[in-house]
Structure formats: structure tokens, C-alpha cells
Amino acid sequence: MSEESIISLKNVNKWFGDFHVLQDVNLEVKKKERIVVCGPSGSGKSTMIRCINRLEEHQEGSIVVDGIELTGNLKNIDNVRKEVGMVFQQFNLFPHLSVKENITLAPIWVKKMPKAEAEELAMRQLEIVKIPEQANKYPGQLSGGQQQRVAIARSLAMNPNIMLFDEPTSALDPEMIKEVLDVMVDLANGGMTMIVVTHEMGFAKTVADRMVFMDEGKIVEEASPDKFFNNPESDRTKLFLSQILHQ
Amino acid sequence: MNEMNEVRKPPVATTGIIGWLRINLFFNWTNSLITLFVIYCLYQFIPWILDWTIISADFKYNYLGEQITNQEMCSRNLDPENGGACWAVIYVRFYQFIYGFYPKVEVWRVNLAYVMLAFALLPLLYAKLPYRKYFLYFTYIFPVIAYFLLNGGLGFTEVSTNKWGGLLVTLVLGCTGIALAFPIGIMLALGRRSKLPVISMMCTLFIEFIRGVPLITLLFFGMVMLPLFLPEGIDMDGLVRVLVAVTLFQSAYMAEVIRGGLQAIPPGQYEAAKSLGMSYWRMNLLIILPQAIRISIPPIVNTSIGLFKDTTLVIIVGILDLLGIGRGTLADTNWLGLSYEIYFFVSLVFFIFTFGMSRYSLYLEKKLKTGINMGAD
């Protein structure tokens, strides 16, 4: 394991009942590295990144995030979650709170930030995702793309070192995908450590430092985007790429 | 093209009063027939009820101009052809209906408590009330003030709870039961969904036991069994014992209602809260419960109204609430046979309170709708 690894998964195994969803997964992510994870549905990619902030519990192996090992220790879990932001496929905004309140809630209650400061922070984050004018609306009044950008702003407001994206554009209409990807590209250019589960291969080519291809709970191939798209090693990867790029 | 830009008004016959009548009351011939039938029934009923309750009714004096002091002086007993309701019974016994047997010298304390209750409810009813924060502080300390005011202590003479009665008992039981059962119900609902098997099992057991037993049984249990569990020498007040039973009963129902709301919250809400680093309690207090309670407002109000009416069951353990005072009055030879008037009055008082609660729930639903799922529906 290299010194600068910020996330390290070693021989991680997980089962849902009898279904072996993660099989000996090993992954090292360096600081500021952008990883794009792809693979067919049911391959365990979402489960893998959800293990990184303990939304799912792994049963064997070790996961270390920023020097903290994820075990049953609740304190460690809280500390890891403070380091790691997450964006979901279904946005998961809090529908009973306005956009601004969605963003300020965690800074105020988890980080004990004064309200005025948190609101200023929220407005800055909304500027970054380019929708400051929506601050006082409720999530239900926004389009999917806007909601997902609010979700990104909400995560960023906790000032995480690592961002996890779980298929952030899969629930969006085609014309909204770009506005979300643009925000993610900005974020990547700003030096954020990112693990992105996505099928947006254009995005992957632009920002990824490394591609990870998963199938049936295993990491089948890890390569630079250049090598991954032009000269993949495994036949499974070739088949997947031919299907996904064919569209 | 030009006409297209002009604002076109809907056809005259579908708007306004005539339009409304046409669409709702006389849409087709069956509809018109039903409308006419209902109008005929109302025509028969409304004059009769107005006559009985108001026009021919006695309030304080009978038709001879005498002040009524017993049922024989009611106009309807003197002259069965002409008299209406004899409200004098309510007038004469009004004090008992409202305060029970609370000593007259001390009754200002009850009145003050009633007024304070109204003030304590204000900030809950109107979110836009000026200085709402300070009113809310008052709401929180109101139960303590009310306890000393009604029961005595802190310089007030003690008034034993067996002197309480009528509306006072109904309100004390209803308000305390509803107010205490709400937080207990929330804890039970969270407990039942807990991942810790011991907590979940205990909560489930408690809920299922209380829910599986009729309220009357719980009231007897409170009256007879509860003192057995207390250490010797400590005597628990009768009303408190009943309150414990009522609160336990209500919290079991409240727990199930809130659990229903909790189940409607998508797992993504929990995940989003967790991923922001929120602890279990923060997540529940800030994210999950506000949404779950919003969803559950209609059933919460439903069970609360149910409880308010069920407090009348305390009559079987010898506590005289509003209905109990009514029945007591009926047993009095002076007022024998005035059951219409007494039950009408008791029903009216209950209806005012429960209808108020139901209106309040509609107002809440309307107010809170702004945030949730707007645009989606």
C-alpha cells in the first residue's frame, strides 16, 4: 500500500443472504485521484462504494478511509462519514426542507456551525453548482437536474475530502445530464478525490485517472482510460464496452 | 391567429352560482331527484329542530314566566302540546357541568387554568403568532402551572381530585393523555423499529399488550392493580391512576400510527442523513420524524379525537366527567326525564372540541403541504 492512499480496500467480501455480492475486492485510491467505476447492473459497484461510507457493512477484509479503519466502532463510522460525501441516484433531498435548509442542516447540527455562517456557506455552494436563485424553493419544485446539483452542494457543504457518486445521472432526463456532469467536471478539476459509478463514458474519458470495471462482484480490470477504452485486456470488458458504446 | 391570443372565458353556464348548481345539484334527472328529496327532508327537519331547541324552548323561565327549579316546571311537562327543550336544567347545573364539585371559593383557579390553556394552545394553532417563541415557553411550563393551580400547593389550598368533575376532568384527561401519549408513542414507534432486538421486542410486547386490552380493563387495572405495585404508604391519587391508564392506552395507538408514517419514509432519506454524518437521534429528529408525523397527521388526530371521547369511560371507575355529571343530574329526582336536553348538551360540548381538532388537522395538512412532494402531484 502506497503512503498516499486515501482509500484502501483489501480482500473485501460481502454477501446479501447467500448472494456473494463482493468477492475479494481490492482497490487503492490515491489523494486527488478520480476513479470511474463501471460494469453491468448487479456487478456490485454500488455496493462497493456504499461500503466505503458504511451505508453497507462488509463482512470480510478491511476498508481504511483516510487512516480510519471501518469496523463496528460507531465513532470511526461517524468520522469517516464526515470525510466522505455521497451523491445518490435518487438525489435523496429532504422534501420537507427548502433548498437552503437542506444544505445548512448538517453544517449546523453536525459541525455546530452558527446559522448565519452556514447560510453564507450554503449560498457559496449554490453558486458553485450554479443555482443560487433556487435557494428558497423546496426540492419538489425543482427539476431533476437541479435537485441533483442541490444534492452535490449539500454534500460539499460538509467540506469532505472524498466524494462518492452512485450513478448520479441515471435518474435524469437526457437534457439534464449535462448540467450535472458539468458540475462534476468542475469538481474534478478542483482536485477532489472522487469515485464515480456511472455509465457516462464521455465523462469517464474526460476526467477519470483510472477506470475500474466490475462484473459479478469482482474487479475485472483496472486501467487508465486510454488503455481501457482502446485496448482492454479482458474479453468481458470488451463485450461490455461494445454494448455500451454501441448506443 | 389574433383570436387565439385573446383570453377566452369558460362558457357562462359552467361558472358562478348557476354553474355550480347545475354541475353539482341538477346534473341529470337522478341527481335532480335526489336534490329535491334532500331539500324536502331538510324542509321538514330544520323548522322542527329550530322550534324544539330555540323557539319553544325554556331557558331560565317557563311559559308562565316562573323561574324553573325542577323538571315539573318545564313548559313541556306543564303543557306537553307546546313546550320545547327545557334548557333550565343546564342553566341550574351549569357549575357542575363545567367544574364538578370544585369549591366555589377556589373556582377562579379553574377559570384561570382554562384561560391559560387557551393561551398555551395559541402558539400551536397559529404559526404566525407574533412573539410565538415566548408563547411556546409558556406552553411548555403550562402543565406545571396548571398542576399547582388546580391541585393546590405553593400556597394554594389543596383541592382533592375527587372534587373535580365535569368538563374540567374531561379536559384534564383528554389534554394530558394526548400530550403525554405523543412523545411516548414516538419513542415506542422508534423502539419497535430498532435494530436492537431487546428494545424492539420490549416495545412490540408493550404495544401489543396494551392494544389487545379494552380501555375499560386498563381503567380497572389502574384503579385496582396499580396501587399493588407501589411501595407501601404511597397512595396514588385516583385521577392520576386513571391518567396513567389512559396515557398508556393512547401511547400504544399513537405508536402504531407513527410507525405507519415511519414506514412511508423511503430508505434514501436515512442514507442521505447518515452520509452527512448525522447520528441516530439527529437523523430521526431532523429528517425522519418531521416527515413521518406530517404523513400521519390524519390518523394522529383521529386517535386523539377517539381518546377525547373515550375519556367518558372513566365513569365506570367512579370519576364524574362531563357525561358523568350529566348522568348524575338525570338521576336527580328534580331533573328526572330530561335526558334529551342533557345528552344534547353533552354531545354539543364534545362536538365543539372534536370538530375543533378535526378543523385544526385540516389546517395543518394544508399548511404543511407547501413543502412536501410539491410538483410531484
Side-chain angles (χ1 to χ4, degrees), chain A residues 109-237:
Chain A
W109 291 94
V110 180
K111 282 197 162 173
K112 313 281 179 213
M113 193 182 278
K115 196 174 174 217
E117 196 183 319
E119 283 185 349
E120 212 173 285
L121 169 71
M123 289 316 293
R124 270 207 308 281
Q125 298 302 341
L126 284 174
E127 301 275 356
I128 291 173
V129 299
K130 300 172 193 117
I131 37 172
E133 72 282 0
Q134 311 287 359
N136 293 315
K137 286 197 184 161
Y138 283 88
Q141 295 166 297
L142 304 183
S143 74
Q146 290 169 330
Q147 289 194 47
Q148 192 60 297
R149 286 188 280 160
V150 173
I152 294 174
R154 180 177 69 176
S155 262
L156 291 178
M158 288 299 280
N159 196 20
N161 290 327
I162 301 159
M163 285 287 287
L164 306 174
F165 292 85
D166 188 2
E167 307 205 27
T169 55
S170 300
L172 296 176
D173 291 340
E175 67 264 36
M176 293 169 188
I177 290 176
K178 190 177 172 297
E179 61 188 52
V180 172
L181 290 181
D182 285 348
V183 169
M184 289 168 63
V185 170
D186 289 348
L187 201 57
N189 293 337
M192 177 67 78
T193 310
M194 291 162 76
I195 302 184
V196 184
V197 173
T198 186
H199 293 143
E200 293 298 326
M201 289 304 142
F203 171 79
K205 281 175 190 164
T206 346
V207 304
D209 293 319
R210 190 153 36 116
M211 298 294 299
V212 170
F213 177 69
M214 288 184 76
D215 189 29
E216 294 179 341
K218 296 191 199 82
I219 292 183
V220 177
E221 188 156 354
E222 266 186 82
S224 69
D226 187 36
K227 180 159 184 296
F228 183 81
F229 288 109
N230 299 323
N231 196 10
E233 270 170 22
S234 106
D235 291 339
R236 188 67 193 86
T237 315

Side-chain angles (χ1 to χ4, degrees), chain B residues 229-248:
Chain B
F229 292 115
L230 291 172
E232 218 162 307
I234 293 184
D235 188 28
M236 214 175 178
D237 186 274
L239 192 68
V240 175
R241 281 184 250 168
V242 166
L243 253 178
V244 170
V246 164
T247 306
L248 291 183

Side-chain angles (χ1 to χ4, degrees), chain B residues 40 57 66 91 130 137 145 162 179 206 250 271 273 285 314 331 344 346:
Chain B
Y40 175 76
E66 301 161 331
Y91 176 80
Y137 290 143
I145 301 176
N162 55 28
F206 177 88
Q250 179 69 357
E271 291 175 358
L285 284 175
V314 297
F344 190 97
V346 171

Side-chain angles (χ1 to χ4, degrees), chain B residues 62-189:
Chain B
N62 62 17
Y63 73 108
L64 299 170
E66 301 161 331
Q67 185 163 349
I68 299 170
T69 53
N70 61 53
Q71 48 98 6
E72 282 163 15
M73 295 172 74
C74 288
S75 303
R76 75 173 165 112
N77 286 343
L78 294 170
D79 179 9
E81 294 293 305
N82 289 318
C86 184
W87 299 120
V89 58
I90 310 295
Y91 176 80
V92 173
R93 290 297 186 99
F94 193 71
Y95 185 88
Q96 279 185 20
F97 275 113
I98 306 299
Y99 310 104
F101 305 97
Y102 212 88
K104 277 214 164 103
V105 212
E106 303 288 350
V107 81
W108 62 270
R109 281 156 50 180
V110 183
N111 285 329
L112 186 60
Y114 283 158
V115 173
M116 283 167 116
L117 174 67
F119 272 100
L121 288 176
L122 263 182
L124 303 178
L125 300 179
Y126 297 106
K128 284 183 190 139
L129 191 74
Y131 306 109
R132 179 164 182 261
K133 219 167 86 184
Y134 302 101
F135 275 95
L136 268 180
Y137 290 143
F138 176 70
T139 307
Y140 296 140
I141 55 165
F142 170 71
V144 182
I145 301 176
Y147 171 78
F148 286 113
L149 210 53
L150 295 173
N151 187 59
L154 290 183
F156 296 120
T157 348
E158 195 159 317
V159 178
S160 150
T161 53
N162 55 28
K163 294 208 177 72
W164 303 16
L167 185 65
L168 175 61
V169 162
T170 299
L171 284 179
V172 166
L173 286 175
C175 293
T176 323
I178 292 166
L180 285 180
F182 193 58
I184 299 177
I186 289 175
M187 297 308 291
L188 284 171

Side-chain angles (χ1 to χ4, degrees), chain A residues 9-15 20 22-25 51 54 57-63 69-70:
Chain A
L9 281 72
K10 285 215 180 84
N11 298 321
V12 171
N13 278 286
K14 179 171 175 60
W15 289 262
H20 199 170
L22 293 180
Q23 307 180 16
D24 282 321
V25 169
C51 281
R54 196 67 166 198
E57 205 173 311
H58 62 286
Q59 283 142 312
E60 277 177 15
S62 79
I63 299 177
E69 173 152 21
L70 278 170

